[in-house]
Amino acid sequence: MITAYVYNNRELTITELNIQDVLPPETLWLDLFKPSDEEREWLSKYSVEEVPEEEDINEIEASARFYQNNDGLHINSLFPQRIGQDVKGVNVSFNLRKDFLLTIREDDVGLIRLLRNYLRLGRIKVTTPQGLFLELFNLKVDYLSDLIEDIYSVVDGVSEQVFENNELDEVFKLITLQEDSNGKIRLSLLDTQRSLRYMQRYYRGQLTDDNLKDLREMLLDIESLMPHSQFIFDKLNFLLDAAMGFSGLQQNKIIKIFSVAAVIFLPPTVIASAYGMNFTTMPELEWQFGYPMAILMMLASAGGTYAFFKRKGWL
């Protein structure tokens, strides 16, 4: 799907294009969502270099994520996406050209939908591709900050559940899920930082004062968010260690109960084994009170062992 955002006479027009259409001359933003081969071929008519493929967008090497060519500045950036309790990373390809911003993506990105709504409602006023790029990244940094706050609130609740919840499976699952989400958020923060610094170097001396101010403020925000992400990472590790220790303590208590029970019933077992041998010559074999005596001895031996353990404080 091809969407063109056109500014004409200070008014924004959002137009869905097909491969038979011509790119409007006043296009500020051209967004390709899950482009087909025909749509990529259509875009190649407006490109000097080869259009990036899906494999190129998902590359992790810096040389593939940040580069320049005859079509302008190329930045492949990782965007966070909340899916239930999980956080997913979605790569988006940005091409900052002289006249418009080109984005290519294979997945839906909530922040791009949010930017689209802000543009439609007039909450964001931009006239340059660089300004539009920075506005989207500003929304991204704010969203990452919100995600960190959400994880912190969940972690704060988990710390109370570790020593109160007898079923620790859910606690372990929740800690692991939050640790994974925090790792993806941290990766997105680092990726955003690299993207903005690369843009800063590329447009050195060319950005407006407002754009330069926004860029610097975002870099400062990212630097302030990184310690929070590291704090959450450390706390999650502590909670995981505490949960594992508490789980081990509970298991030790269970094993202790079985061990004490085995020792308590050991003397009665010895007595029962002795009188169960059925030898011919046994003094109590023909005794009328032999069976009650054996039962009484087993109970007394079990009770005496229990009383001994109790006095020692082992129970």
Side-chain angles (χ1 to χ4, degrees):
M1 184 174 65
I2 307 173
T3 307
Y5 300 77
V6 183
Y7 260 116
N8 192 6
N9 296 326
R10 296 184 178 181
E11 291 187 0
L12 177 70
T13 303
I14 302 176
T15 307
E16 303 293 339
L17 304 178
N18 55 54
I19 56 177
Q20 286 78 34
D21 295 328
V22 178
L23 182 67
E26 300 297 327
T27 299
L28 175 65
W29 178 18
L30 185 65
D31 180 43
L32 273 69
F33 175 52
K34 292 185 177 180
S36 62
D37 294 337
E38 293 79 9
E39 290 173 338
R40 290 181 182 275
E41 185 177 353
W42 174 87
L43 179 61
S44 64
K45 296 187 296 185
Y46 301 96
S47 304
V48 179
E49 303 289 344
E50 185 178 354
V51 177
E53 298 290 338
E54 181 179 358
E55 295 78 10
D56 301 326
I57 297 175
N58 293 323
E59 286 286 345
I60 61 175
E61 292 84 0
S63 59
R65 299 185 69 83
F66 312 103
Y67 62 94
Q68 311 164 27
N69 59 21
N70 293 325
D71 285 327
L73 175 64
H74 293 262
I75 294 176
N76 296 339
S77 186
L78 188 66
F79 276 70
Q81 188 85 335
R82 170 72 79 178
I83 302 177
Q85 292 184 337
D86 194 11
V87 176
K88 176 185 176 183
V90 178
N91 282 302
V92 179
S93 173
F94 293 90
N95 181 198
L96 282 159
R97 301 189 179 185
K98 182 179 180 181
D99 300 323
F100 65 90
L101 171 66
L102 170 65
T103 56
I104 304 175
R105 53 196 172 96
E106 295 294 332
D107 294 285
D108 188 24
V109 179
L111 290 177
I112 290 182
R113 293 200 310 269
L114 182 62
L115 178 64
R116 175 176 178 154
N117 290 333
Y118 281 176
L119 290 172
R120 183 189 292 115
L121 296 174
R123 295 182 59 179
I124 294 178
K125 298 291 185 180
V126 290
T127 57
T128 63
Q130 297 82 12
L132 184 63
F133 178 86
L134 291 175
E135 287 291 348
L136 180 57
F137 269 66
N138 193 22
L139 293 175
K140 179 183 177 182
V141 173
D142 290 341
Y143 185 58
L144 287 169
S145 176
D146 293 337
L147 288 178
I148 290 176
E149 291 179 0
D150 292 342
I151 291 180
Y152 183 81
S153 62
V154 173
V155 170
D156 198 34
V158 171
S159 61
E160 298 177 0
Q161 298 178 31
V162 169
F163 301 106
E164 295 179 357
N165 196 339
N166 293 326
E167 298 294 333
L168 291 177
D169 291 343
E170 291 297 325
V171 175
F172 280 120
K173 181 179 179 181
L174 189 57
I175 291 175
T176 304
L177 184 64
Q178 298 307 314
E179 195 279 334
D180 180 67
S181 298
N182 185 63
K184 291 175 181 176
I185 291 172
R186 188 175 180 84
L187 180 62
S188 185
L189 283 171
L190 291 171
D191 178 84
T192 305
Q193 187 180 55
R194 293 171 62 196
S195 300
L196 293 175
R197 285 178 175 172
Y198 192 83
M199 179 187 181
Q200 188 179 35
R201 291 195 300 269
Y202 181 82
Y203 287 106
R204 188 180 299 275
Q206 302 179 38
L207 294 174
T208 64
D209 292 340
D210 290 338
N211 288 341
L212 191 60
K213 179 182 177 182
D214 291 340
L215 192 149
R216 289 173 176 171
E217 287 180 351
M218 279 189 282
L219 289 174
L220 290 175
D221 289 340
I222 292 172
E223 289 179 2
S224 66
L225 290 174
M226 292 299 290
H228 289 279
S229 176
Q230 182 62 41
F231 169 75
I232 291 176
F233 177 77
D234 294 338
K235 187 166 184 177
L236 284 170
N237 281 336
F238 168 75
L239 290 176
L240 184 60
D241 292 339
M244 292 181 65
F246 186 63
S247 176
L249 182 62
Q250 287 184 322
Q251 292 178 357
N252 290 336
K253 288 181 178 179
I254 295 173
I255 294 173
K256 179 182 177 181
I257 292 173
F258 280 107
S259 300
V260 171
V263 173
I264 288 176
F265 288 104
L266 181 59
T269 303
V270 172
I271 296 172
S273 300
Y275 285 104
M277 291 186 283
N278 294 325
F279 289 122
T280 302
T281 304
M282 291 184 68
E284 297 86 357
L285 190 60
E286 301 296 335
W287 188 26
Q288 181 180 359
F289 300 103
Y291 177 72
M293 183 199 70
I295 297 296
L296 183 61
M297 289 174 60
M298 287 189 285
L299 292 176
S301 62
T305 306
Y306 176 82
F308 177 78
F309 275 46
K310 194 73 173 177
R311 187 175 60 183
K312 290 290 186 180
W314 296 345
L315 289 176

